[in-house]
Amino acid sequence: MAAKVRRNDTVQIMTGKDKGRRGEVRSVLTKEGRVIVTGANLVKKHRRARSQLEPSQILTVEAPLDASNVRVVCRSCSQAVRVGFRLLEDGRKVRYCKKCNEAID
Ligand SMILES: [Zn+2]
């Protein structure tokens, strides 16, 4: 099945502490069905000191979100929408917005 969410898409988060937040998809973990959204779902990670020059730190990193918890923001109607697939005459499959019917790809 073709992916509904792709890298560089603008998405809106539908659940959790970042509900309503929009961001760009930085990467898609296809196998796990998860996505990493820039600036969203931040978690703190403690990193041990590696040497005296590199002391321990607390890093803030983006944790992956389940792809079903985000929706693509349509460029035409700028709403978080459900995405459908449409087959073009030349056999290509493109995504479209189920709200305004505009092609997304
Ligand atoms: Zn739309």
Side-chain angles (χ1 to χ4, degrees), residues 20-53:
R21 181 195 281 271
R22 289 182 181 190
E24 203 167 89
V25 175
R26 207 151 54 85
S27 59
V28 178
L29 313 169
T30 313
K31 265 187 259 168
E32 291 122 89
R34 286 153 95 78
V35 295
I36 295 174
V37 178
T38 304
N41 205 24
L42 298 176
V43 293
K44 289 197 163 68
K45 277 196 176 167
H46 296 255
R47 199 178 69 171
R48 229 178 249 222
R50 286 181 185 167
S51 68
Q52 289 197 321
L53 293 173

Side-chain angles (χ1 to χ4, degrees), residues 60-71:
T60 307
V61 297
E62 291 138 344
L65 291 156
D66 201 285
S68 64
N69 291 337
V70 304
R71 279 201 200 154

